[in-house]
């Protein structure tokens, strides 16, 4: 199951998949019966954590793979762990194409 928090209120799953997944990926998602849930309530790191916490509690999740930009991971983990201390988090940082991979913390603009 994939939960995507902080999605714009007007965005639908078909729109998101059309914009970010290849036709082959969309077919694979469909054939596997993958469950993807969009969360439309969050607009900050704090509300992302709140939205995910409610989702996790409803489903009694024991672990969560947290995927976010590398420069955003430390703060995200603090927010999420404070609301779900009993959950194991597996951080999975991504490096957006326009973000520098090395010495990013020295730049005032983390996106490059």
């Amino acid at each position: 199951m994939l939960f995507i928090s902080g999605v714009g209120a007007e965005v639908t799953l078909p729109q998101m998949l059309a914009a970010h997944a290849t036709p082959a990926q969309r077919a694979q998602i469909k054939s596997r019966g993958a469950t993807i849930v969009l969360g439309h309530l969050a607009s900050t790191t704090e509300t992302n954590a709140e939205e995910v916490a409610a989702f996790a509690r409803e489903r009694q999740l024991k672990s969560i793979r947290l995927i976010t930009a590398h420069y955003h991971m430390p703060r995200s983990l603090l927010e999420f762990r404070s609301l779900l201390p009993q959950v194991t988090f597996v951080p999975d940082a991504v490096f957006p194409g326009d973000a520098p991979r090395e010495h990013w913390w020295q730049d005032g603009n983390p996106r490059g």
Side-chain angles (χ1 to χ4, degrees), residues 57-71:
R57 286 184 191 118
E58 287 173 14
R59 289 156 182 82
Q60 300 179 336
L61 299 180
K62 304 283 187 232
S63 67
I64 294 173
R65 179 174 298 273
L66 181 59
I67 303 169
T68 192
H70 66 292
Y71 57 84

Side-chain angles (χ1 to χ4, degrees), residues 16-26 29:
M16 182 170 277
L17 291 175
H20 300 287
T22 66
Q25 290 167 329
R26 291 193 300 271
I29 289 167

Side-chain angles (χ1 to χ4, degrees), residues 6-60:
V7 177
E10 70 288 347
V11 177
T12 66
L13 182 56
Q15 289 170 332
M16 182 170 277
L17 291 175
H20 300 287
T22 66
Q25 290 167 329
R26 291 193 300 271
Q28 190 173 38
I29 289 167
K30 185 176 180 178
S31 72
R32 290 184 176 182
T35 301
I36 302 173
V37 178
L38 302 183
H40 298 282
L41 301 177
S43 59
T44 66
T45 305
E46 183 178 3
T47 56
N48 283 128
E50 291 168 0
E51 185 174 51
V52 171
F55 183 85
R57 286 184 191 118
E58 287 173 14
R59 289 156 182 82
Q60 300 179 336

